[in-house]
Amino acid sequence: MDLSLSTRNVTGAGGDRTVVEVGGEIDVYTAPKLREQLVELVNDGSYHLVVDMESVDFLDSTGLGVLVGGLKRVRAHEGSLRLVCNQERILKIFRITGLTKVFPIHTSVDEAVNAVD
Amino acid sequence: MATVELRFSAQPEHVRTARLVAAAVARRAGVDEAVLDEVRLAVGEACSRAVGLHRSNDVTTPIRVVLTEEEKSFSIEVGDEVPGAGVAAADAVGVPGARAAAPAEDFDDADGEDEMGLAVIRGLVDDVEVSAGADGGTLRMTWPVSPADVLS
């Protein structure tokens, strides 16, 4: 299954947020598409991103690298990148690599959108 | 003798195929269903790493994946043909003396993304062996199987 991406803008408790809904497999082949999407959003001035990973079937270290890259980009603009994920097999990869300490991980889009630092 | 051997050109789009084949053979070999996700991820990481090494070193030969079913174990060997890369990997997964035994210039190709992939493999698989030679490196991962689960 290929990667699917869609974005929508919502207003949460802390202001405007862009939700990026990701589906399918994020691997060495598809990760560049996600990178392009995140770069494009930041270039267009969206600095508060919520990446919804509930429909992601597979994630590898290339995908993690892209998410870390996205986080660095939004932080350069004092922005934020929050993840939404409840899938144990995906969460496990974040734990193994210690990235649970780097990304705020939420259980719902609603929670992530309304989170305030 | 290998149960299934796969060779693919060093293109990112083929890594998914290697994952699917590895998971299918692992399932047949009797690897626990709960571990198949880990097999899929680990073989994907090993293949992504090999693809990256071949591409960044302009190596045009294919990546080799050897899946071997044994009585009590299932192993996957992913081989690249980049000299020295396996040494850096052995060092990264903590094989004692790997770095000391290798010439310093052999490490120049190891980059950060490579290390993240290896960190995932190390976190997922208990039994990882890395060997390096003048012809390239091999990453071998082994999982236990429950023979009773295999349908004859």
Side-chain angles (χ1 to χ4, degrees):
Chain A
M1 192 179 164
D2 212 347
L3 183 77
S4 68
L5 291 168
S6 68
T7 62
R8 63 182 191 275
N9 294 314
V10 293
T11 305
D16 291 339
R17 300 288 182 260
T18 303
V19 178
V20 183
E21 200 179 307
V22 191
E25 302 189 339
I26 313 175
D27 73 352
V28 65
Y29 178 53
T30 61
K33 289 176 203 159
L34 177 60
R35 181 185 290 120
E36 275 170 34
Q37 174 77 83
L38 296 179
V39 168
E40 197 180 303
L41 286 169
V42 174
N43 287 346
D44 291 346
S46 301
Y47 304 140
H48 291 279
L49 308 178
V50 171
V51 179
D52 179 3
M53 305 185 68
E54 283 300 88
S55 302
V56 171
D57 302 313
F58 181 88
L59 172 76
D60 73 3
S61 63
T62 327
L64 292 177
V66 167
L67 292 171
V68 171
L71 183 66
K72 281 164 87 172
R73 282 190 181 84
V74 293
R75 278 191 177 163
H77 299 277
E78 293 176 359
S80 62
L81 192 156
R82 297 173 180 278
L83 303 176
V84 177
C85 183
N86 292 296
Q87 300 187 70
E88 185 48 38
R89 59 179 176 174
I90 305 285
L91 290 170
K92 184 173 184 174
I93 307 161
F94 285 94
R95 276 200 293 272
I96 287 171
T97 50
L99 291 173
T100 43
K101 298 187 186 81
V102 175
F103 290 102
I105 301 178
H106 299 271
T107 54
S108 71
V109 171
D110 198 45
E111 184 189 295
V113 161
N114 289 301
V116 181
D117 283 326
Chain B
M1 197 188 132
T3 306
V4 172
E5 187 170 336
L6 178 71
R7 281 169 194 270
F8 65 92
S9 57
Q11 303 290 337
E13 58 265 42
H14 299 319
V15 171
R16 180 171 189 264
T17 306
R19 285 201 306 268
L20 295 174
V21 171
V25 178
R27 177 180 283 123
R28 223 217 73 82
V31 174
D32 197 276
E33 282 290 324
V35 186
L36 287 178
D37 270 338
E38 295 174 9
V39 172
R40 198 177 287 121
L41 182 54
V43 76
E45 294 293 353
C47 289
S48 302
R49 177 178 166 274
V51 167
L53 285 168
H54 274 218
R55 289 166 73 89
S56 59
N57 289 280
D58 295 321
V59 174
T60 53
T61 50
I63 310 294
R64 194 184 75 252
V65 183
V66 179
L67 311 162
T68 311
E69 183 183 337
E70 279 161 63
E71 205 182 324
K72 290 178 178 168
S73 67
F74 173 72
S75 67
I76 301 179
E77 230 177 78
V78 177
D80 64 69
E81 295 191 7
V82 179
V87 179
D91 185 68
V93 295
V95 174
R99 182 171 291 250
E105 62 267 25
D106 285 349
F107 299 115
D108 293 348
D109 297 322
D111 58 14
E113 222 166 271
D114 184 27
E115 280 170 28
M116 179 114 82
L118 287 167
V120 171
I121 292 173
R122 191 176 46 204
L124 287 174
V125 191
D126 294 333
D127 189 349
V128 185
E129 284 171 48
V130 182
S131 56
D135 301 330
T138 303
L139 213 152
R140 184 185 167 97
M141 305 168 282
T142 307
W143 289 268
V145 297
S146 3
D149 294 343
V150 183
L151 296 173
S152 54

